Amino acid sequence: MMLEDEDYLDAIHNMISTEKVNAEYAVAVTGDNFSEMFSGMDDDYMKARAADIKDISNRLGRNLAGAEETDLGAMEPSIIVADDLSPSETVQMDKEKILAFVTVHGSVNSHTAILARMMNIPALIGVPVDLNEIHTGMQAVVDGFNGEVIFEPSEEICQKTIIRIKEEEEKLRLLHALKGKENITLDGKRIDIYANIGNVSDIGYVLENDAGGIGLFRSEFLYLGRTDFPTEEEQYQAYKQAAQMMAGKKVVIRTLDIGADKQADYFNLGKEDNPAMGYRAIRICLKQQDIFKTQLRALLRAAVHGNISIMYPMITSTEEVSEIYGIVKEVQEELEAAQVPYRVPEQGIMIETPAAVMISDELAEMVDFFSVGTNDLTQYTLAIDRQNEKLDDFYKPHHKAILRMIQIAADNAHKCGKWIGICGELGADLELTEEFLRMGIDELSVSPSMVLKIRRIVRESRAVQA
């Protein structure tokens, strides 16, 4: 299944064609990238997939080198009961004949559980089964939802299990039917559905949910949870890895948005009475340009390796954009002087302040795209601190003022031939998807788990109201 995964293959093919490397190297680097991505995930279950990815990439490398592999594919349709299974053993089995897994050792992070997740088959890991009492030919029911295995079940249990299997198969059929489908409305409007991520390890969820790209890479997470600034090389490797893994798909990286509710002690920002409206995001970058230049150098270098776009947060004036472009120019000159390969990618801004909305006609002439940050736009427009629990009843993201502001920004972007997306939480609000289509929004960037749900609504909607 890994070898049939388009994202895995695209990453290898893209590296071969763009970096002019041989297949063995491309497979090794892609294997390392994907393995590192999964090992860095917070979820332990997903983290253990790193071993499988490494294993299959190593096997592919050996095959490219002409080494022989033992064929373990011959087996009857079976529930596999074992002490444990290695990645190589599991991968070489005929997956069409695996009905379920039960292992005595391991945990939900074991290799068998990982394969089960890929194949969507029931699996129980770490079950205290006496293997001496189990023999080939026994009938069994494996219920992965309730964590039960029943050997020699009654006829009633068998019938109930068959019904549940059919129900789950129908759910999966409906879900998988949307993968690979176009995000096109009934009346022919196409919209891009991208995903929001916080770090490279999240790309696994992006690929798994068939997002068309990354609409918001929150680069500030590279700065959090540490005691000093990330180096240019650290940032470059993270951005490069994201670009390589997305294999030509758009990766929109937001520059540092520290401050407000995201704090790092080593920034020495100090306490502010109202940090949401204080020293944060692009304001820090323009005041402490050494921090900004380090990130820009990493971004311009990484842009050589894929379809990266840069997005600047918390813009309130055309002067800020002009100053940003001046700093980008300085970074270009530095890289050229050092003979470091780079590319200046598409550059856009976030529309998340009322000021940016009101001058969006002028801003649209200066930038390549807009992306609406509805979280901050809502709190600034309604004068409500979204971190204040006492104000939850007053925080209304469906407020007419918010929707009108989004419409104004969309109209001004399109007048200048620029695209506009939404990367805030409102983009995943299923109640507003049709309205965003009618507004002319070109892209919605949401959490990976929402991609297929948004796609379903898009495909069942009309962009122009009848």
Side-chain angles (χ1 to χ4, degrees), residues 229-466:
F229 296 98
T231 65
E232 176 185 328
E233 189 62 24
E234 286 177 308
Q235 294 188 64
Y236 163 68
Q237 290 296 338
Y239 306 145
K240 173 187 174 183
Q241 190 173 344
Q244 288 176 332
M245 295 180 72
M246 291 306 293
K249 297 176 182 177
K250 188 182 290 292
V251 179
V252 180
I253 301 175
R254 180 176 69 186
T255 57
L256 177 64
D257 187 6
I258 210 79
D261 57 327
K262 289 169 286 192
Q263 297 283 340
D265 291 341
Y266 60 89
F267 272 80
N268 296 316
L269 299 180
K271 180 175 174 55
E272 294 184 301
D273 291 335
N274 194 345
M277 301 181 73
Y279 188 52
R280 59 172 293 199
I282 202 64
R283 297 166 183 175
I284 294 176
C285 292
L286 294 179
K287 284 288 188 181
Q288 297 176 245
Q289 294 188 12
D290 53 335
I291 298 174
F292 195 28
K293 282 188 173 182
T294 297
Q295 182 172 33
L296 288 173
R297 284 174 61 92
L299 285 167
L300 265 59
R301 289 173 57 199
V304 173
H305 300 281
N307 188 11
I308 283 178
S309 297
I310 302 176
M311 180 164 66
Y312 305 108
M314 284 294 294
I315 297 299
T316 61
S317 69
T318 56
E319 289 79 12
E320 288 170 342
V321 176
S322 296
E323 188 174 357
I324 290 168
Y325 285 167
I327 297 171
V328 172
K329 182 66 174 176
E330 291 176 15
V331 169
Q332 286 180 252
E333 293 171 353
E334 292 172 3
L335 292 172
E336 286 177 4
Q339 296 184 325
V340 176
Y342 75 92
R343 181 177 68 85
V344 179
E346 182 182 49
Q347 298 177 81
I349 63 171
M350 291 192 70
I351 300 293
E352 51 189 342
T353 67
V357 173
M358 298 309 294
I359 61 169
S360 56
D361 54 340
E362 297 179 42
L363 292 170
E365 295 177 353
M366 303 179 70
V367 302
D368 297 314
F369 66 92
F370 287 162
S371 187
V372 182
T374 56
N375 305 346
D376 276 330
L377 183 61
T378 300
Q379 78 166 343
Y380 294 140
T381 302
L382 302 182
I384 289 176
D385 180 0
R386 59 189 174 102
Q387 304 298 321
N388 190 333
E389 296 179 2
K390 295 179 181 178
L391 300 176
D392 285 350
D393 291 341
F394 298 94
Y395 187 84
K396 300 182 184 301
H398 288 207
H399 196 292
K400 289 181 180 179
I402 308 301
L403 300 179
R404 287 180 184 177
M405 284 190 167
I406 297 174
Q407 184 70 73
I408 290 171
D411 291 343
N412 286 329
H414 293 151
K415 286 176 184 176
C416 291
K418 310 299 172 63
W419 65 269
I420 180 171
I422 296 177
C423 64
E425 290 301 309
L426 219 55
D429 191 324
L430 302 180
E431 295 179 15
L432 292 175
T433 303
E434 290 188 58
E435 186 157 358
F436 290 148
L437 291 171
R438 291 193 290 270
M439 286 182 182
I441 298 299
D442 303 295
E443 175 252 10
L444 293 172
S445 190
V446 299
S447 63
S449 63
M450 293 298 295
V451 169
L452 293 177
K453 295 178 182 178
I454 297 291
R455 177 175 296 168
R456 177 181 61 80
I457 293 180
V458 168
R459 291 175 60 84
E460 295 173 355
S461 303
R462 293 185 180 276
V464 178
Q465 198 165 18

Side-chain angles (χ1 to χ4, degrees), residues 145-180:
F145 293 108
N146 296 318
E148 296 177 342
V149 56
I150 303 171
F151 294 100
E152 303 294 8
S154 66
E155 183 64 23
E156 180 183 1
I157 291 177
C158 288
Q159 290 302 317
K160 288 181 178 179
T161 302
I162 290 171
I163 293 173
R164 291 191 65 191
I165 289 174
K166 291 181 178 178
E167 290 173 349
E168 290 303 316
E169 287 176 345
E170 178 63 14
K171 291 178 183 178
L172 283 173
R173 186 189 67 79
L174 293 173
L175 180 64
H176 285 282
L178 288 173
K179 290 190 175 183

